Amino acid sequence: MIEAPPSRVPHVRQRLTWGFLCALLLFTLPVLAAKPPDSAGLTKSQVTGQAIYTLTQQLLAVAPQRFNGSPGHLAAEAFLKAHFKPEAAKGNFEIDEFTATTPVGPQTMRNYIVRYPGKRDGIVVLASHYETNWWLKDIPFVGANDGACTTALLIALGQYFRAHPPQGYSIWIVFDDGEESTRTVWEGNDNLYGTRHLAAKWDREGTIGKIKAFLLADMIGDKDLNIDFDEESTPWLRDLLKTAAKNTGNSAYIYKNDVPGLGDDHIPFKQRGVPVLDLIDIDYGPRTKDLPDGYHHTQYDTIDKLSPHSLQISADLFLELIRLINQR
């Protein structure tokens, strides 16, 4: 990953008869119960931060280090396959395998795409990388925040859309490979291998023009959550996130920091004209002399630095963003 950082009801002074009160209740209760469903058919009740946190723990237990070519990388892929067997049975689970040319030699990488067909013509893509850094393979770097929890978040959202098929745009969930660089320096094309490959592929196939929004999840499980104002993201989607945060009561958790020029998995899609939004909290952990970037890309990026509360906020924001995109 990336280098960069109650309404008031007037009191009625009037005695009501029991008959009038009962009639009032009989009229009011059905009206309250008949709240119309939102246009996207979304609720947040079945996507919980605790469930996402538990999924993160499970992923880290079977695949703590997930650098390319490692047993953990294969275990992470098996983890994804196991959670999307119903989609695979319907032909809605795709393995996008390709060979990337890297500074450490050719590497086989795999993106995973899960499709939930909707009722409107268009696609909303939700994405996260799932691997850990090649250059950190010799230390116990598990990327709990940097890749694991956002993978778990998208698995949980997939489970939601399995039970509640999209009523608006189709939802495509992308678990992309090779986001991280193979060297310590983030430069050139030594990064974003999976999304660069997938954006080019979808461009050739004509899929790019159908994508209404590309929403990226990265490092948003931090206990001290604050999602950055990413200058590379599309302005109307940044505005929509502000609305989503207000609607879900989470305005305090976004946009304290303005981050210029983040290189992240949304960039290859932005370069092809797709509206993009990077939901990322790059300010992760205290910055000290020994840890100038906090916990980012260190062995301290562990499950204890995350919270179900932050993961709940992230899930609620994604669902509300999807609902708002469908209303446009």
Side-chain angles (χ1 to χ4, degrees):
M1 210 298 16
I2 321 126
E3 295 177 359
S7 65
R8 296 181 179 179
V9 179
H11 178 67
V12 180
R13 297 180 180 274
Q14 177 179 351
R15 175 177 286 179
L16 298 176
T17 66
W18 278 107
F20 180 79
L21 181 60
C22 291
L24 181 64
L25 288 171
L26 287 171
F27 173 79
T28 304
L29 287 176
V31 173
L32 293 175
K35 181 182 177 182
D38 62 72
S39 62
L42 300 177
T43 68
K44 60 188 180 184
S45 61
Q46 294 185 20
V47 181
T48 70
Q50 184 57 56
I52 299 166
Y53 188 86
T54 299
L55 276 169
T56 306
Q57 289 177 311
Q58 293 170 351
L59 174 58
L60 291 175
V62 299
Q65 291 180 287
R66 303 175 298 284
F67 57 88
N68 195 266
S70 68
H73 191 274
L74 292 174
E77 294 180 275
F79 190 83
L80 292 174
K81 293 174 186 176
H83 279 88
F84 292 105
K85 287 181 179 178
E87 288 73 24
K90 294 181 178 179
N92 289 330
F93 183 82
E94 178 186 351
I95 304 173
D96 173 38
E97 183 174 310
F98 63 101
T99 300
T101 301
T102 82
V104 298
Q107 293 190 351
T108 300
M109 298 184 182
R110 283 172 286 272
N111 298 319
Y112 289 87
I113 302 111
V114 191
R115 297 182 174 89
Y116 297 93
K119 295 185 176 180
R120 294 181 67 184
D121 185 20
I123 304 161
V124 175
V125 177
L126 317 180
S128 168
H129 76 97
Y130 67 91
E131 94 288 5
T132 55
N133 306 59
W134 170 268
W135 60 273
L136 292 173
K137 58 186 173 58
D138 296 325
I139 70 167
F141 174 67
V142 302
N145 193 33
D146 194 358
C149 74
T150 47
T151 297
L153 168 66
L154 296 195
I155 291 172
L157 290 173
Q159 292 170 340
Y160 175 85
F161 287 112
R162 180 186 303 152
H164 304 84
Q167 300 303 297
Y169 296 123
S170 295
I171 302 295
W172 289 14
I173 297 179
V174 173
F175 301 92
D176 63 88
D177 203 356
E179 184 262 4
E180 303 285 8
S181 61
T182 62
R183 299 173 296 184
T184 58
V185 179
W186 178 279
E187 62 182 5
N189 287 331
D190 183 26
N191 48 63
L192 312 182
Y193 293 98
T195 48
R196 282 194 289 112
H197 164 80
L198 190 60
K201 178 175 183 282
W202 282 353
D203 201 356
R204 292 192 304 270
E205 296 173 350
T207 303
I208 281 287
K210 300 176 183 178
I211 300 175
K212 302 301 180 180
F214 181 95
L215 308 180
L216 178 63
D218 202 351
M219 298 179 66
I220 49 177
D222 182 5
K223 284 181 180 178
D224 184 23
L225 181 67
N226 192 271
I227 294 170
D228 299 317
F229 183 95
D230 169 44
E231 293 183 3
E232 293 290 346
S233 292
T234 303
W236 71 261
L237 277 171
R238 288 198 307 251
D239 292 343
L240 216 62
L241 176 58
K242 188 174 181 180
T243 302
K246 180 180 178 181
N247 291 352
T248 58
N250 292 313
S251 295
Y253 300 101
I254 70 165
Y255 293 171
K256 286 182 182 176
N257 300 318
D258 187 335
V259 182
L262 280 179
D264 210 347
D265 273 322
H266 59 322
I267 299 300
F269 287 88
K270 176 184 179 178
Q271 291 170 341
R272 287 169 169 78
V274 175
V276 298
L277 181 66
D278 192 4
L279 286 85
I280 183 171
D281 178 3
I282 195 70
D283 188 18
Y284 177 39
R287 296 173 186 264
T288 66
K289 181 179 178 181
D290 294 331
L291 298 172
D293 292 323
Y295 303 136
H296 185 210
H297 286 171
T298 73
Q299 62 186 352
Y300 302 104
D301 182 3
T302 48
I303 188 73
D304 57 296
K305 310 303 190 308
L306 314 184
S307 77
H309 179 247
S310 294
L311 293 168
Q312 184 70 66
I313 292 167
S314 298
D316 292 350
L317 289 175
F318 266 85
L319 286 175
E320 182 64 6
L321 277 166
I322 294 166
R323 188 184 75 83
L324 292 170
I325 290 167
N326 275 297
Q327 287 185 340
R328 282 175 58 88

